[in-house]
């Protein structure tokens, strides 16, 4: 069904990991961190995040070696904990990927707004219309062949890394140690006033950084999700490790360098996307224009990656009997066209909703991160299970690090977003039940019980939203 001679190369997989993770987040991370933290706590938070994501990365690598017959997160969860866990992982990943595309759309339009002010808000009618057209074009590209899209993605990723490297060099040259170390650990509420309550202690500041840091690593699993399309299966684990090291270095350096150029008060009030206006302050309007163009290219690559990845999950789920066979339909170019069309239609509806929300970007990244935590947690738990069965602490440790980080991280970031995800899971239950019927498989009591609990949570979430007790921002 899938040709290995013409599969995705190691370089293609590495670029997929980097492209899927380096999107809108890296261009706005410095401003989001400055809103909640001084440099010291932010660096400690980066250390904690790095260790947690390293555990996840090593878990992906280990599972690809101990269980090479399994393809990605869906099969890890299904093999480790049963069909319903596989469904929760795959449906959560699908949800996370296309909701994350909404964040890309918002930030891309903000970048266009540097040249055309009517786009600056990211959710004006013209911005939503333009984002919708781009989204449909990317879907059509992937429908015409995933391997073709992956090849194009390599070129886009190289193009978007060049300006980021240029910014790093510029930031190092203009770095001011005295600005970076001013109020390095201290509370900064005395410096300026926020529109919201500002964290007062080091721990609270670190806590405020976590959601931003988790968001910029969403996509680290890109190579794993494409294992079955790789030229060599072993390339997936190599690409994940190389991609992680590159992403950690780039994200830490680019998010922290602005602390050494602008004061925290200035950085926290920079317009979105932050990196554009930091560089504009450094070298003038030409710099801002170049970064805006770079951001548009960057998001195009990330958006393309995240058009490919969610339908890989639904295809795998259909192959494993977790979704109806309809989701696994491949066209003559071996692209899952049914899944792509359905995903695009839902994405279009979400894009239209941007017209009514001023917090679209923050809501999208929070919901996206919450959904992916379910997937990552199941991978980490399966890694622990494999290590336990093999009596190997060396295998257990990465899983423990990853699971602890994901659970603590999402509790810091906001459990209300996990609560919101239950609504989307309930919608997926219809397809899961249909798939069980196709497979002539009876639902277990545990599956029925879990579906009832999640449904009750979803009903409660809807009530909380309608009564204003649960805010969508």
């Amino acid at each position: 069904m899938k040709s290995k001679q013409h599969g995705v190369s190691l370089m293609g997989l590495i670029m997929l990991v980097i492209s899927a993770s380096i999107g809108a987040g890296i261009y706005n991370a410095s401003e989001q961190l400055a809103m909640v933290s001084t440099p010291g706590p932010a660096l400690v938070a980066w250390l904690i995040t790095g260790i947690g994501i390293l555990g996840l990365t090593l878990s992906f690598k280990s599972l690809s070696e101990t269980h090479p017959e399994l393809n990605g997160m869906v099969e890890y969860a299904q093999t480790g904990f049963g069909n319903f866990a596989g469904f929760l992982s795959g449906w959560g990943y699908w949800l996370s990927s296309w909701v994350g595309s909404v964040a890309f759309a918002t930030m891309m339009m903000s970048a266009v707004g540097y040249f055309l002010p009517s786009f600056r808000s990211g959710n004006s009618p013209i911005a939503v219309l333009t984002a919708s057209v781009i989204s449909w074009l990317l879907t059509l590209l992937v429908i015409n062949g995933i391997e073709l899209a992956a090849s194009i993605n390599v070129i886009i990723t190289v193009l978007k890394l060049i300006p980021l490297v240029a910014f790093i060099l510029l930031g190092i040259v203009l770095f001011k140690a005295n600005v970076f170390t001013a109020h390095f650990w201290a509370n900064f509420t005395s410096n300026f006033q926020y529109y919201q309550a500002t964290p007062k202690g080091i721990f609270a500041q670190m806590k405020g950084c976590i959601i931003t840091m988790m968001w910029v690593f969403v996509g680290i699993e890109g190579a794993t999700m494409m294992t079955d399309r790789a030229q060599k299966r072993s390339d997936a684990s190599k690409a994940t490790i190389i991609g992680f090291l590159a992403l950690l270095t780039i994200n830490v350096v680019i998010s922290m360098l602005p602390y050494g150029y602008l004061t925290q008060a200035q950085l926290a009030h920079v317009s979105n996307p932050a990196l554009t206006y930091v560089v504009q302050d450094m070298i003038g309007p030409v710099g801002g224009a170049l970064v805006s163009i770079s951001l548009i290219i960057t998001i195009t690559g990330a958006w393309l990656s995240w058009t490919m990845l969610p339908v890989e999950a639904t295809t795998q789920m259909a192959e494993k009997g977790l979704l109806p066979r309809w989701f696994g339909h491949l066209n003559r170019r071996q692209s899952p066209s049914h899944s792509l069309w359905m995903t695009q239609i839902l994405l279009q509806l979400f894009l239209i909703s941007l017209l009514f929300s001023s917090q679209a970007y923050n809501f999208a990244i929070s919901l996206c991160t919450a959904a992916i935590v379910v997937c990552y947690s199941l991978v980490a738990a399966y890694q622990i299970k494999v290590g336990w069965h093999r009596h190997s602490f060396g295998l257990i440790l990465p899983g423990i690090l990853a699971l602890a980080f994901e659970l603590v991280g999402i509790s810091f970031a906001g459990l209300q977003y996990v609560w919101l995800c239950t609504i989307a899971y309930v919608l997926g239950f219809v397809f899961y039940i249909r798939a069980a019927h196709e497979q002539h498989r009876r639902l277990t009591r545990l599956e029925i019980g879990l579906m009832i609990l999640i449904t009750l949570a979803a009903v409660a979430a809807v009530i909380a939203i309608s009564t204003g007790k649960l805010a969508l921002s």
Side-chain angles (χ1 to χ4, degrees):
M1 181 175 67
K2 295 170 183 174
S3 172
K4 294 299 177 182
Q5 287 95 349
H6 302 290
V8 182
S9 66
L10 173 61
M11 180 58 68
L13 292 171
I14 293 172
M15 292 303 182
L16 182 62
V17 172
I18 294 175
S19 180
S21 297
I22 294 183
I26 195 170
Y27 284 82
N28 216 40
S30 56
E31 184 264 348
Q32 290 184 304
L33 295 182
M35 286 290 290
V36 295
S37 177
T38 53
L43 283 172
V44 175
W46 269 124
L47 176 63
I48 295 171
T49 301
I51 293 172
I53 300 299
L54 175 62
L56 180 64
T57 303
L58 292 176
S59 295
F60 279 125
K61 179 178 184 297
S62 175
L63 291 173
S64 69
E65 294 171 349
T66 57
H67 293 280
E69 74 281 4
L70 301 180
N71 296 312
M73 294 190 292
V74 175
E75 294 191 28
Y76 294 156
Q78 183 182 26
T79 303
F81 308 104
N83 290 329
F84 194 68
F87 166 78
L88 291 178
S89 177
W91 194 257
Y93 186 75
W94 170 79
L95 172 68
S96 174
S97 296
W98 70 262
V99 170
S101 295
V102 177
F104 293 145
T106 306
M107 191 58 68
M108 177 186 280
M109 294 305 101
S110 295
V112 175
Y114 187 85
F115 307 101
L116 302 172
S118 60
F119 286 79
R120 185 162 297 173
S121 67
N123 66 335
S124 63
I126 186 63
V128 170
L129 176 61
T130 304
S132 299
V133 171
I134 294 172
S135 182
W136 282 102
L137 289 175
L138 291 175
T139 296
L140 289 172
L141 175 61
V142 176
I143 282 177
N144 280 290
I146 283 184
E147 290 169 12
L148 169 63
S151 300
I152 294 173
N153 188 57
V154 171
I155 299 172
I156 293 176
T157 304
V158 172
L159 290 175
K160 75 183 187 181
L161 285 176
I162 294 173
L164 292 177
V165 172
F167 168 76
I168 291 174
L169 296 176
L170 181 64
I172 291 172
V173 171
L174 299 178
F175 187 82
K176 304 169 188 175
N178 62 319
V179 174
F180 186 77
T181 56
H183 307 288
F184 190 76
W185 296 105
N187 176 17
F188 49 82
T189 52
S190 59
N191 294 341
F192 56 100
Q193 295 296 318
Y194 283 135
Y195 61 87
Q196 60 185 14
T198 306
K200 296 182 179 180
I202 291 175
F203 179 77
Q205 293 178 53
M206 291 166 50
K207 177 180 174 181
C209 294
I210 293 297
I211 188 68
T212 297
M213 295 179 179
M214 294 177 75
W215 161 242
V216 298
F217 280 105
V218 174
I220 193 71
E221 74 292 333
T224 302
M225 293 302 296
M226 298 289 283
T227 297
D228 206 29
R229 293 182 181 271
Q231 289 178 355
K232 294 171 58 179
R233 297 183 62 85
S234 60
D235 285 347
S237 61
K238 295 177 185 176
T240 302
I241 294 294
I242 295 171
F244 162 73
L245 293 174
L247 288 169
L248 182 63
T249 301
I250 293 170
N251 281 313
V252 172
V253 172
I254 288 182
S255 67
M256 298 307 296
L257 275 177
Y259 275 106
Y261 179 75
L262 297 177
T263 67
Q264 187 169 10
Q266 293 170 327
L267 185 58
H269 288 93
V270 166
S271 299
N272 294 333
L275 196 60
T276 297
Y277 296 95
V278 171
V279 174
Q280 176 182 276
D281 193 84
M282 287 177 169
I283 58 176
V286 173
L290 291 175
V291 173
S292 295
I293 294 171
S294 168
L295 176 55
I296 293 169
I297 294 173
T298 295
I299 294 180
T300 300
W303 202 343
L304 176 57
S305 297
W306 285 35
T307 303
M308 292 186 282
L309 294 177
V311 293
E312 283 298 301
T314 51
T315 301
Q316 289 177 13
M317 293 171 73
E319 290 175 351
K320 293 298 177 181
L322 304 178
L323 285 179
R325 288 186 289 269
W326 181 89
F327 284 86
H329 171 77
L330 300 178
N331 63 16
R332 61 187 180 86
R333 295 185 182 273
Q334 299 300 298
S335 290
S337 54
H338 288 176
S339 288
L340 279 163
W341 289 124
M342 190 192 80
T343 301
Q344 175 55 34
I345 291 170
L346 291 172
L347 176 56
Q348 180 63 69
L349 293 174
F350 211 129
L351 285 173
I352 293 173
S353 74
L354 296 184
L355 295 169
F356 311 100
S357 173
S358 60
Q359 292 289 325
Y361 177 78
N362 290 332
F363 174 70
I365 68 171
S366 298
L367 188 60
C368 170
T369 305
I372 203 70
V373 162
V374 175
C375 314
Y376 289 166
S377 297
L378 286 169
V379 170
Y382 184 47
Q383 174 67 18
I384 294 171
K385 183 177 181 179
V386 170
W388 181 267
H389 285 166
R390 294 180 178 235
H391 307 288
S392 171
F393 182 72
L395 294 179
I396 294 175
L397 182 58
I400 291 176
L401 291 175
L403 184 60
F405 172 72
E406 295 298 329
L407 296 180
V408 172
I410 197 59
S411 66
F412 284 175
L415 289 172
Q416 72 269 24
Y417 292 103
V418 178
W419 192 12
L420 283 172
C421 288
T422 60
I423 300 173
Y425 275 115
V426 169
L427 299 176
F429 290 162
V430 176
F431 299 114
Y432 182 71
I433 294 170
R434 175 62 183 171
H437 178 73
E438 286 185 355
Q439 299 290 320
H440 305 291
R441 172 171 54 83
R442 296 185 63 181
L443 297 178
T444 66
R445 290 183 179 179
L446 178 60
E447 288 176 323
I448 294 172
L450 290 173
M451 281 193 280
I452 291 173
L453 287 175
I454 293 173
T455 300
L456 291 174
V459 171
V462 172
I463 294 173
I465 292 170
S466 62
T467 57
K469 294 181 179 179
L470 181 59
L472 300 179
S473 63

